[in-house]
Amino acid sequence: MRLVALALCLFASPALAAGRSFTVTPVITADAYAQADQIGTLTKLEGILECSSCPIRLETMLVLDKSKTKDAFDVYFFSRAATLTSIDNGAFDVADTGMATSFAGKVSVAAADFSDTNVNSTATKALALMLPGTSGSDLWMALVCTDAGGCDWGAIGDLTLRLVYDELD
């Protein structure tokens, strides 16, 4: 009976493309962000979708903090370039129509998610976030500082995210 149930689940599930990863280092301002500030600009995840109309399941987000600050932040995902009414190092804001038509999901990274090595900190977020397909091959993201003490990475390249995902077809 269990084998039959397993077989039904396997055949009923959408086909998965082989696991993929996408690495992005957002351009940030060193030692700059207060709580609720936008970190950098809207970042294009160019070519992340092989099948433009196929959704992806974001399985894991790996974070490398080269400054070892362990600052908390949110990552907002968008299916198209949303109209941000905020700027780098300003209070994060997205126009209502942009949120209504392109907001795809959010991942929060807390200070407690990080572990230290000798020279950096890393965090791993296990997820099962579905992000929609788009009319093109790109998704977009914006980062927002949520740390009460601010987000103070030491250099513009000190934060790297690797997204591990499966594309559904």
Side-chain angles (χ1 to χ4, degrees):
M1 185 62 120
R2 287 185 181 166
L3 279 174
V4 172
L6 176 61
L8 288 174
C9 285
L10 289 174
F11 288 108
S13 298
L16 294 176
R20 296 188 170 104
S21 69
F22 190 93
T23 301
V24 60
T25 301
V27 177
I28 60 176
T29 302
D31 299 322
Y33 303 103
Q35 188 175 29
D37 276 0
Q38 178 178 315
I39 301 167
T41 61
L42 187 64
T43 301
K44 184 178 188 179
L45 305 176
E46 190 168 1
I48 193 169
L49 299 173
E50 192 171 287
C51 166
S52 63
S53 62
C54 299
I56 65 173
R57 182 173 51 222
L58 184 57
E59 297 290 343
T60 308
M61 185 170 72
L62 306 166
V63 181
L64 172 61
D65 173 1
K66 295 177 187 174
S67 291
K68 204 174 176 178
T69 60
K70 299 183 274 194
D71 294 325
F73 62 94
D74 287 340
V75 181
Y76 287 79
F77 291 98
F78 299 94
S79 59
R80 62 180 61 90
T83 302
L84 299 182
T85 56
S86 53
I87 59 171
D88 179 36
N89 201 24
F92 179 67
D93 196 13
V94 181
D96 290 343
T97 55
M99 280 301 237
T101 60
S102 61
F103 176 67
K106 181 185 82 152
V107 176
S108 296
V109 180
D113 293 330
F114 286 94
S115 296
D116 290 341
T117 66
N118 189 42
V119 295
N120 55 45
S121 296
T122 59
T124 302
K125 297 295 291 189
L127 311 165
L129 179 65
M130 296 296 291
L131 299 174
T134 67
S135 59
S137 61
D138 310 321
L139 290 173
W140 301 79
M141 71 176 198
L143 280 63
V144 179
C145 176
T146 58
D147 200 282
C151 295
D152 300 312
W153 294 283
I156 61 171
D158 276 359
L159 182 65
T160 299
L161 307 176
R162 185 164 43 140
L163 309 173
V164 179
Y165 63 96
D166 287 312
E167 193 166 11
L168 307 172
D169 56 8

